[in-house]
Amino acid sequence: MDLHSLSTHSPTNTSSTRTTTPISCTSTTSSTPSLPIHVINEPHRVLLLLDCQAGMLAPPPIGVPNAQSVRKNIAEVLEEARRARPPPLILHVRNNGDVGEPDEPGTEGWELVFRPITDSKQEEEGGYKELVIDKRKNNAFRGTPLAELVPATAELVVVGFQTDHSIRATCQEGVKRGNEVLLIRGAHATHDRIEVLYGGGTTPASRIEGEVESELEDLGVHILDMKDLPGIFMDR
């Protein structure tokens, strides 16, 4: 997908007064700060970091097979977003697993890998504070304030885990809502899949990632590469 083939958006007017209305959000206590969730008036672009937690980026087999390269790519995407002026709304979505799972709340594997910036400097420069949203479903819009934070007019840039679970479900929901959804190849990943049917065996994570990218592209998701990163958070 060529970045220039995306629709041209009008720049957000950052000089206007932004109104915020508090809404409730249940969050489990952690050493990683969760900010109060607010309804923010019409962000033009949103970076959604899905399940970027220590368990996913641990060395295999706990983490995904290409954890090191994916972590590097996600870090580059996040830094590019933070450098943008104005920066997009950056949302860190954290999965709350069941007892005994790697992302059980309060465990090391549950912690966010990329620490949110919580100071007011970004707001002073026309941007937004970074927010943390806790979820329990693959679809990050279900049971969370995400739909109230992300208007259907916003461009949604998605990175994170797992490709065939949270990434797929959340991108599908974004398209259904009317968002322009951008998924960055190399900045999302999943585990190898052990097959139970059809003779067993293992499907490599790279194959699963490619299949999901093709599926989502057919639905209208824009699949971009890391080489497109310099232009992703610019108005087009």
Side-chain angles (χ1 to χ4, degrees):
M1 169 63 66
D2 186 346
L3 189 61
H4 296 292
S5 67
L6 293 175
S7 302
T8 301
H9 298 277
S10 300
T12 303
N13 182 0
T14 58
S15 62
S16 60
T17 302
R18 183 180 296 113
T19 58
T20 61
T21 305
I23 61 177
S24 62
C25 178
T26 302
S27 176
T28 308
T29 303
S30 164
S31 59
T32 302
S34 287
L35 301 179
I37 301 297
H38 295 79
V39 176
I40 301 177
N41 188 35
E42 294 298 308
H44 177 51
R45 187 169 286 113
V46 177
L47 172 60
L48 198 61
L49 296 101
L50 288 175
D51 305 353
C52 294
Q53 294 162 256
M56 282 292 167
L57 288 168
I62 296 175
V64 297
N66 53 344
Q68 187 172 358
S69 63
V70 175
R71 177 174 182 156
K72 176 178 178 293
N73 286 343
I74 293 175
E76 289 182 16
V77 173
L78 179 57
E79 285 306 307
E80 188 72 18
R82 286 171 172 169
R83 283 195 298 266
R85 289 295 176 266
L89 172 61
I90 298 174
L91 301 176
H92 301 257
V93 180
R94 178 174 55 194
N95 193 64
N96 290 338
D98 293 330
V99 174
E101 293 185 339
D103 55 358
E104 176 187 347
T107 65
E108 184 177 345
W110 174 75
E111 297 291 345
L112 293 173
V113 171
F114 305 104
R115 191 172 183 85
I117 294 178
T118 61
D119 59 36
S120 59
K121 182 178 179 181
Q122 286 174 309
E123 289 185 307
E124 293 169 358
E125 295 179 350
Y128 309 94
K129 287 184 179 180
E130 297 179 17
L131 304 176
V132 177
I133 299 174
D134 286 304
K135 72 175 180 66
R136 293 193 61 85
K137 304 290 186 181
N138 284 331
N139 181 353
F141 287 95
R142 290 191 61 188
T144 74
L146 189 60
E148 298 175 63
L149 290 164
V150 180
T153 55
E155 193 172 81
L156 190 59
V157 180
V158 181
V159 299
F161 307 92
Q162 294 186 65
T163 304
D164 48 340
H165 297 289
S166 291
I167 294 288
R168 171 194 272 149
T170 303
C171 286
Q172 288 174 336
E173 184 67 21
V175 171
K176 188 185 301 183
R177 297 176 74 242
N179 294 104
E180 288 278 359
V181 180
L182 285 63
L183 178 63
I184 304 179
R185 181 182 288 117
H188 67 90
T190 192
H191 289 98
D192 296 335
R193 183 174 63 217
I194 299 174
E195 305 293 352
V196 177
L197 302 176
Y198 311 113
T202 301
T203 301
S206 58
R207 178 176 172 182
I208 298 169
E209 291 155 12
E211 290 174 349
V212 174
E213 286 175 356
S214 296
E215 173 191 326
L216 292 176
E217 191 168 32
D218 287 343
L219 291 176
V221 174
H222 304 283
I223 309 298
L224 302 179
D225 295 302
M226 286 298 295
K227 66 180 177 61
D228 298 311
L229 185 56
I232 285 178
F233 297 105
M234 296 173 59
D235 287 309
R236 293 179 286 280

